[in-house]
Structures are given as C-alpha cells and as structure tokens.
Amino acid sequence: PDISFLIMTYYNIVIQYGTQAFVQECADMGIRGLIVPDACPEESGSFLEACREHAVEPVLIATPYTSADRLRYLSEQTGGFLYCAARKGVTGSKTSFGGETDHFLSRVNGYAKTPIAVGFGIQSAADVAFLQGKCDIAIIGTQLLHVLEQDGLPGVERFLKSLQ
C-alpha cells in the first residue's frame, strides 16, 4: 500500500539483533522509520549512522521538559518527523490540551526542521482540532487500539472518520 510504515521498539532489541543487520532488514522490508525511545542519540551514533546509510528515518522524541539546547539538537538529528510527547507519563492516558501544550509546540516549531508529530493521550476529534495548525501529525495509538478491541475494524473506520 501507499502508506509509510514505522517500527517502534526498544534499543536492546536492535542491539541484540545487530544494529546494522536490524536497520538493513527494516530497509529491505520497506520500513521508512524507526522510533526507539530509549536510544539516546548522544550515545547511539551507530544506530543513527545505520539509519542514514540505509535510508531509514530515525525518529527522535521531545517532551515539554526538553531544554532549548536539546530541542535544537534533536531537531538536527531526527528524521522523518520529530515525535513530541504531549506530556510526561505513559501513553494512553488522557491529555489535557491547553496553554502548556501551546507553549511547548510553539517552542518546537521554532527549532523543527521536519514535520512535528504529537502523541500521548489524543483520543477525540476535539484533541485533533486543538492540534490543527500547531503540528503536522496527530499520533493516535492507544485509543485506536481500544476502539479496535471493542468494535473491530468497522469501529476503527467510524472512529477515524469522526476525527476529520
């Protein structure tokens, strides 16, 4: 399909498999990007190099607590898009979007060289509407899985249409 696929995994899996081999196999399968949250870019140069060598985008993550210097660094190192976690904590919990999110995304927009994706707690059309004009991509993971479990694929279709 004409869809870009990314894999999100942990760095120990990449290392155990072999960084070059893992990224090469991802490229061979058509994977366009890798999100490896625990691969600190300052300490995972071989991973970033392998991604660039095999044309697989290394997607890095920023949070509302990311300093200006680090945000600048992440913006220079990320590929494909910069993943912005809308709040601290774990995925899936509801996020209260408001002034703090506005401030964070304004800071990110000042540094970003790639599209900006926002995730963590996006659950409704109102959440997506709040993000319009502030980012390029809304990442909806946990809520989509809940809908899939409860209502199957027809529910997913209805849910996605309700976000537009």
Side-chain angles (χ1 to χ4, degrees):
D2 188 21
I3 297 173
S4 296
F5 288 93
L6 289 86
I7 291 177
M8 185 173 197
T9 189
Y10 291 104
Y11 200 32
N12 63 340
I13 293 170
V14 175
I15 292 169
Q16 183 68 29
Y17 196 89
T19 302
Q20 275 290 336
F22 185 88
V23 176
Q24 175 68 59
E25 190 152 337
C26 286
D28 292 346
M29 289 187 294
I31 299 300
R32 297 280 310 274
L34 291 168
I35 303 170
V36 186
D38 59 338
C40 178
E42 296 88 350
E43 299 173 4
S44 56
S46 62
F47 168 69
L48 295 176
E49 288 173 26
C51 285
R52 290 185 181 102
E53 179 182 328
H54 298 291
V56 174
E57 301 287 359
V59 176
L60 303 180
I61 301 173
T63 74
Y65 307 99
T66 301
S67 71
D69 287 342
R70 181 148 175 83
L71 195 51
R72 182 179 303 109
Y73 175 78
L74 293 174
S75 295
E76 291 169 358
Q77 298 299 315
T78 198
F81 59 89
L82 181 61
Y83 190 135
C84 296
R87 60 171 166 70
K88 69 178 185 177
V90 296
T91 64
S93 301
K94 175 73 175 132
T95 296
S96 296
F97 293 101
E100 289 181 23
T101 308
D102 279 338
H103 178 68
F104 171 47
L105 294 178
S106 177
R107 285 191 324 112
V108 171
N109 274 295
Y111 295 102
K113 298 177 184 201
T114 60
I116 298 169
V118 177
F120 276 54
I122 300 171
Q123 298 180 352
S124 68
D127 296 339
V128 173
F130 176 86
L131 294 171
Q132 285 184 333
K134 299 170 184 148
C135 70
D136 304 290
I137 302 165
I139 299 172
I140 305 169
T142 303
Q143 184 64 21
L144 194 62
L145 291 175
H146 288 309
V147 171
L148 179 62
E149 287 174 351
Q150 292 174 356
D151 303 320
L153 289 176
V156 168
E157 182 178 11
R158 285 189 303 275
F159 175 69
L160 292 175
K161 285 181 179 179
S162 77
L163 298 175
Q164 299 177 3

